[in-house]
Amino acid sequence: MFVRQNFQNKNLWQESSKEHIAFKPLKTSVTTDIAIIGGGYTGCSAALFAANNGLSVSLIDKKIGYGGSGRNVGLVNAGLWLPPEKVEKILGVDAGSKLNKALAKTPDLVFDLIDKYDIKCSANRSGTLHCAHSQNGLKDIQKRYQQLSSRGAELELLDRQQTNQRIGSLKFFGALFNKSAGTINPLNYCIGLARAAQSKGANIYESTLATKIQSSNNYWLVDTPDGSIKTKKLLIATNAYQQPIKGIKSPEYTGVHYFQVATNPLPEKTSNMILPNGEGCWDTANVMSSFRLDEDNRFIVGGVGNLGHRASKIHTNWAKRKMESLFPQLKNTPIEYSWHGRIAMTGNHIPKIIKLGNNAYSVFGYSGRGIGPGTYFGKAITDCFLNGNEDSLPVTPVNQNKEHFSSIKSKIFELGATSSHLI
Ligand SMILES: Cc1cc2nc3c(=O)[nH]c(=O)nc-3n(C[C@H](O)[C@H](O)[C@H](O)COP(=O)(O)OP(=O)(O)OC[C@H]3O[C@@H](n4cnc5c(N)ncnc54)[C@H](O)[C@@H]3O)c2cc1C
């Protein structure tokens, strides 16, 4: 029977935040070694590594973690969402294996930063499970297991019984377990990176958007409503959330929405039977879904979909049914949180570095896998600014990235997800 829900549109990560810090707006004109537009993982990681290396840094955003970094699932996974062979096929073996290698150890990078700067983001390094939702899904994870293991990843391929025991659900055909991965409160990780960057001397400004960027005499000038930044090095890290900036083209990508809903903390006797080891999970379905518990044993389930349109109840009703089909003991458990975010999907699902001019880059397009990659790309851009060598970047910078029919593709993704969530 359909149970009427009072879904309140609120983001669990904001509501349960344990990192509390606010940054003042920029109200003056400053000169800095590096200006960073956007305070997600990419921008905050770049700010931290730059400040640690003695560069003066000014980072601006409306709010730290306002974009994907404050809205995501919190699965800290290795590599990209694409299997490694596909990455090598798209980029060529040399460039592809360079990117695969760079991103293979990103969970170490993320969890080391969390430890080093005591970031309060409920880090749980119990691994993640890529769950086979069908026989075809099982073939997919078997292929991934072979490809990743042959490149040195330490993974376990779990059979149906092992998977079901580990998850506490009878729904899956097997799973790929990566014990080096884990889960975090994604917003708190981002705020923690900003706090760490500030502690190393970076100037972070909130309530401050870049409105115009121009270059003049080897400098970049960034205008904001009440101030400006003069800089030699510029990083634009706005991913799927860029607010219009005159003088700079917006990143081109296909926007794909992903939403999540969460319960209140479950009683111990219920939560004990769900993911007792605390892994984060996502599945092999074309219209992907994810589920996990948070630190307080709230159950969180997500799927492709936008909660911002009239038919969005289709998504939240599906989430409720999904939760109950995975874990029948959750029947009639009320949903207390619901929120969504926009993913910047590129045509080939590979992140892009656009060279905007001398010492200026725009980085975007993580295609749904940005916690480790964003942290890594932010660090790599800083290394490139320091050593002047673009070879240290994980992908070769290009002058532009064309995404054709992106708004039609966005609508097709949403329509596909909505139709599949009707069933
Ligand atoms: C719902 C969802 C689930 C996801 N799940 C996962 C997951 O489980 N694991 C994973 O690895 N990845 C996941 N991702 C992907 C990941 O969240 C993103 O790739 C990552 O957050 C991108 O970080 P970023 O710093 O590049 O951009 P963002 O975090 O999007 O930051 C961009 C920032 O730029 C700011 N900005 C925009 N315009 C301006 C301007 N003019 N001036 C100043 N600032 C500006 C925005 O306010 C924003 O804060 C998910 C993404 C979404 C949306």
Side-chain angles (χ1 to χ4, degrees), residues 23-93:
F23 303 93
K24 292 191 176 129
L26 177 65
K27 297 250 181 206
T28 176
S29 295
V30 294
T31 301
T32 188
D33 292 330
I34 164 168
I36 301 172
I37 319 299
Y41 307 131
T42 310
C44 292
S45 162
L48 173 57
F49 284 99
N52 254 335
N53 279 285
L55 294 180
S56 64
V57 179
S58 296
L59 181 152
I60 58 173
D61 201 329
K62 174 190 203 144
K63 188 105 193 111
I64 297 298
Y66 174 80
S69 302
R71 302 163 188 251
N72 67 59
V73 182
L75 303 178
V76 184
N77 277 315
L80 288 173
W81 177 68
L82 291 175
E85 245 175 44
K86 184 88 192 189
V87 175
E88 287 162 16
K89 199 166 169 200
I90 294 168
L91 294 178
V93 175

Side-chain angles (χ1 to χ4, degrees), residues 285-410:
N286 276 342
V287 181
M288 193 196 107
S289 53
S290 56
F291 56 97
R292 55 168 290 192
L293 292 169
D294 80 348
E295 186 183 41
D296 300 315
N297 288 329
R298 296 178 183 90
F299 185 76
I300 309 164
V301 60
V304 179
N306 181 348
L307 297 190
H309 60 69
R310 278 190 183 179
S312 64
K313 271 233 144 107
I314 292 172
H315 295 313
T316 44
N317 287 336
W318 163 85
K320 176 87 183 126
R321 292 197 305 278
K322 178 81 182 174
M323 180 167 98
E324 291 173 5
S325 86
L326 290 173
F327 302 103
Q329 64 271 39
L330 294 183
K331 194 168 168 53
N332 296 338
T333 305
I335 297 297
E336 295 295 332
Y337 305 84
S338 66
W339 70 103
H340 73 250
R342 195 162 53 241
I343 290 172
M345 193 76 81
T346 62
N348 60 11
H349 299 179
I350 305 270
K352 307 293 170 208
I353 299 181
I354 306 292
K355 184 160 185 157
L356 301 167
N358 210 7
N359 280 321
Y361 300 96
S362 168
V363 181
F364 64 93
Y366 298 108
S367 303
R369 179 68 66 83
I371 301 178
T375 309
Y376 186 89
F377 272 62
K379 175 180 183 298
I381 287 280
T382 294
D383 289 343
C384 172
F385 282 146
L386 285 164
N387 61 27
N389 183 1
E390 289 184 346
D391 290 344
S392 60
L393 294 172
V395 296
T396 306
V398 291
N399 291 328
Q400 61 171 347
N401 177 54
K402 281 261 158 243
E403 291 289 324
H404 299 290
F405 310 114
S406 54
S407 92
I408 295 174
K409 284 195 267 179
S410 260

Side-chain angles (χ1 to χ4, degrees), residues 81 128-132 137 140-141 144 163 174-178 280-285 288 369:
W81 177 68
T128 54
L129 292 165
H130 191 183
C131 307
D140 178 21
I141 59 167
R144 284 174 188 261
T163 304
L176 193 53
F177 173 57
N178 184 342
C281 303
W282 80 107
D283 71 15
T284 50
M288 193 196 107
R369 179 68 66 83

Side-chain angles (χ1 to χ4, degrees), residues 64-382:
I64 297 298
Y66 174 80
S69 302
R71 302 163 188 251
N72 67 59
V73 182
L75 303 178
V76 184
N77 277 315
L80 288 173
W81 177 68
L82 291 175
E85 245 175 44
K86 184 88 192 189
V87 175
E88 287 162 16
K89 199 166 169 200
I90 294 168
L91 294 178
V93 175
D94 288 349
S97 58
K98 178 181 166 189
L99 179 59
N100 286 332
K101 269 191 203 135
L103 299 183
K105 297 277 179 215
T106 52
D108 287 346
L109 174 67
V110 170
F111 287 108
D112 287 352
L113 287 170
I114 292 169
D115 276 353
K116 184 166 177 189
Y117 295 103
D118 191 22
I119 297 178
K120 293 172 185 55
C121 63
S122 313
N124 180 352
R125 207 166 182 183
S126 297
T128 54
L129 292 165
H130 191 183
C131 307
H133 78 295
S134 65
Q135 284 295 350
N136 275 344
L138 185 59
K139 284 187 195 137
D140 178 21
I141 59 167
Q142 283 165 343
K143 247 192 325 198
R144 284 174 188 261
Y145 173 72
Q146 279 162 3
Q147 293 183 20
L148 290 160
S149 308
S150 69
R151 287 164 179 78
E154 286 179 39
L155 303 168
E156 263 177 67
L157 192 56
L158 307 181
D159 66 20
R160 190 168 192 157
Q161 198 189 355
Q162 290 166 320
T163 304
N164 291 337
Q165 265 170 7
R166 215 173 244 270
I167 296 178
S169 169
L170 301 175
K171 288 286 166 185
F172 297 102
F173 291 70
L176 193 53
F177 173 57
N178 184 342
K179 67 169 190 271
S180 81
T183 59
I184 54 173
N185 172 325
L187 173 63
N188 279 178
Y189 170 57
C190 187
I191 298 173
L193 285 178
R195 173 179 53 73
Q198 189 185 50
S199 75
K200 296 291 168 187
N203 296 301
I204 314 262
Y205 304 99
E206 286 185 322
S207 306
T208 305
L209 287 175
T211 51
K212 184 175 169 189
I213 294 181
Q214 54 192 313
S215 70
S216 153
N217 297 332
N218 269 336
Y219 277 95
W220 292 92
L221 292 169
V222 180
D223 284 352
T224 68
D226 298 313
S228 65
I229 309 171
K230 184 177 172 189
T231 183
K232 279 203 166 161
K233 300 174 188 355
L234 174 69
L235 168 62
I236 301 200
T238 51
N239 204 41
Y241 280 85
Q242 183 160 317
Q243 298 286 313
I245 306 175
K246 274 192 203 152
I248 293 285
K249 274 189 75 184
S250 292
E252 287 193 29
Y253 59 84
T254 296
V256 178
H257 284 87
Y258 196 90
F259 76 97
Q260 294 173 87
V261 304
T263 67
N264 268 341
L266 300 172
E268 213 176 298
K269 69 176 191 326
T270 312
S271 65
N272 280 347
M273 290 147 59
I274 298 172
L275 293 165
N277 303 310
E279 300 90 339
C281 303
W282 80 107
D283 71 15
T284 50
N286 276 342
V287 181
M288 193 196 107
S289 53
S290 56
F291 56 97
R292 55 168 290 192
L293 292 169
D294 80 348
E295 186 183 41
D296 300 315
N297 288 329
R298 296 178 183 90
F299 185 76
I300 309 164
V301 60
V304 179
N306 181 348
L307 297 190
H309 60 69
R310 278 190 183 179
S312 64
K313 271 233 144 107
I314 292 172
H315 295 313
T316 44
N317 287 336
W318 163 85
K320 176 87 183 126
R321 292 197 305 278
K322 178 81 182 174
M323 180 167 98
E324 291 173 5
S325 86
L326 290 173
F327 302 103
Q329 64 271 39
L330 294 183
K331 194 168 168 53
N332 296 338
T333 305
I335 297 297
E336 295 295 332
Y337 305 84
S338 66
W339 70 103
H340 73 250
R342 195 162 53 241
I343 290 172
M345 193 76 81
T346 62
N348 60 11
H349 299 179
I350 305 270
K352 307 293 170 208
I353 299 181
I354 306 292
K355 184 160 185 157
L356 301 167
N358 210 7
N359 280 321
Y361 300 96
S362 168
V363 181
F364 64 93
Y366 298 108
S367 303
R369 179 68 66 83
I371 301 178
T375 309
Y376 186 89
F377 272 62
K379 175 180 183 298
I381 287 280
T382 294

